Amino acid sequence: MEIQSVHLPDQPDLAARVRDLTEEAARVDGIYPFSEQFLLGLVDARVAHRHLIITDGDQLGGVAACDDSSCELVVAPAARRQGIGRALLEAVGDADVWAHGDLPAARALAEASGRRPTRRLLVMSVADQALTEAAVFEPRPGFEALSLRESAARWGRDTVEQAWLDANNEAFSWHPEQGGWDLDRLRRAQEAAWFAEEDVLFLWDTSTDWKPALAGFHWTKWHTEDTPAFGEVYVVGLATAYRGQGLGDPLLRLGLEHLAGKGARRVILYVEADNGPAVRVYEDLGFVVDEEHVVYSQP
């Protein structure tokens, strides 16, 4: 076995092989080993990910992908139990490592290396009748719900994107992936193949005549990789000035109503397991836990 450090965006053929490897692992394990951002990092140099690959001759045995805060690993199903996962863990050093789905083999490998769980991310879902009951948006006086497309047509794209960026960074100042964005990062996110302007919803405070203010946003995602297609509460955020006013519930329902209107019978979301208030809100709306993703860290 040989470990190599490679820059995959410069090697599209190899990047395609790595993507195929993640697809194969997903079929075997029932869950993708790489998150959306790490899949993007295989081909987009702007993401600035680092990659390590293990090969045996011309066979690709495993891959580690890392950003500035964490790594994600995948081992080819046919090459497991040969020490490849352990070798990748040793190669990434003290970096935090994600175990998507927290599968028993990944959990055992992480713990054998001395790592312990330090972050848990839940995937929750609501479906069928519970979704129908939750997907009812009731407008508030003084507020108007508009999509990104509608908002940009009214106030200009630059104005809307800046308001969106400000609200995002206020809402997620604490978040390692979603916080601290700039306009370039926001616009890169809109390059995703699944992105649609009508799926980004804004709640505008129109109580003042001179200038509307963005109270919050609900960025939804439409998944077509499975049949039937389903929706996702991708990002929901309230601007600081509008917290504590009971707007979180209607903002969440705004997106659920939109997704149900597109035909979704199931909607998922990701939430930090230690965010008890948010988890309880979602449970009250009928969401249940489907999956758990765990970060393992060195003590």
Side-chain angles (χ1 to χ4, degrees), residues 27 31 55 94 144 146 151-152 166 181 199 216 238 244 255 259 280:
R27 288 192 295 271
I31 194 164
T55 56
D94 293 336
E144 185 175 7
L146 297 171
S151 300
D166 291 343
W181 283 21
D199 290 339
L238 277 171
L259 292 168
R280 287 191 291 272

Side-chain angles (χ1 to χ4, degrees), residues 21-287:
L21 174 55
T22 67
E23 295 282 351
E24 181 186 4
R27 288 192 295 271
V28 171
D29 299 331
I31 194 164
Y32 273 91
F34 281 7
S35 60
E36 180 183 27
Q37 191 66 8
F38 278 80
L39 288 173
L40 178 63
L42 301 178
V43 295
D44 191 338
R46 296 172 299 177
V47 181
H49 284 176
R50 306 181 307 280
H51 298 99
L52 298 172
I53 65 170
I54 288 184
T55 56
D56 186 0
D58 61 354
Q59 297 299 309
L60 185 58
V63 181
C66 300
D67 61 16
D68 290 337
S69 61
S70 64
C71 298
E72 299 185 351
L73 279 60
V74 59
V75 176
R80 292 176 179 175
R81 300 182 182 276
Q82 299 178 27
I84 291 176
R86 183 172 63 254
L88 287 173
L89 275 182
E90 292 174 355
V92 301
D94 293 336
D96 290 349
V97 177
W98 281 96
H100 292 295
D102 200 26
L103 301 175
R107 183 166 61 247
L109 180 63
E111 292 176 350
S113 72
R115 288 174 166 83
R116 295 293 178 263
T118 56
R119 181 182 174 192
R120 296 183 183 275
L121 186 66
L122 305 179
V123 180
M124 304 183 73
S125 69
V126 62
D128 301 324
Q129 184 59 33
L131 173 59
T132 300
E133 294 172 359
V136 179
F137 170 67
E138 296 183 2
R140 287 278 193 92
F143 292 89
E144 185 175 7
L146 297 171
S147 70
L148 171 58
R149 185 186 302 277
E150 294 166 332
S151 300
R154 186 175 300 187
W155 295 298
R157 185 74 177 223
D158 290 345
T159 297
V160 171
E161 285 188 339
Q162 187 60 57
W164 180 12
L165 179 67
D166 291 343
N168 178 84
N169 287 342
E170 288 177 9
F172 296 100
S173 59
W174 54 275
H175 199 280
E177 289 92 29
Q178 191 66 33
W181 283 21
D182 55 20
L183 280 172
D184 179 66
R185 179 67 183 84
L186 180 65
R187 288 167 179 162
R188 288 210 320 267
Q190 296 175 59
E191 296 174 6
W194 54 262
F195 178 82
E197 291 182 338
E198 62 268 21
D199 290 339
V200 182
L201 308 171
F202 296 122
L203 193 61
W204 295 96
D205 180 356
T206 56
S207 62
T208 58
D209 294 332
W210 63 279
K211 182 182 179 182
L214 182 59
F217 66 95
H218 188 155
W219 186 356
T220 69
K221 180 178 179 180
W222 189 243
H223 289 261
T224 58
E225 66 272 19
D226 290 337
T227 303
F230 63 97
E232 179 180 341
V233 176
Y234 191 58
V235 188
V236 180
L238 277 171
T240 300
Y242 292 90
R243 295 177 193 168
Q245 299 182 28
L247 293 173
D249 181 77
L251 189 60
L252 180 59
R253 291 177 185 271
L254 172 64
L256 294 177
E257 184 180 73
H258 171 75
L259 292 168
K262 292 186 68 165
R265 297 304 305 164
R266 175 173 174 262
V267 173
I268 69 168
L269 59 79
Y270 291 76
V271 61
E272 301 289 340
D274 61 1
N275 189 347
V279 172
R280 287 191 291 272
V281 166
Y282 299 140
E283 289 175 338
D284 289 344
L285 285 172
F287 282 85

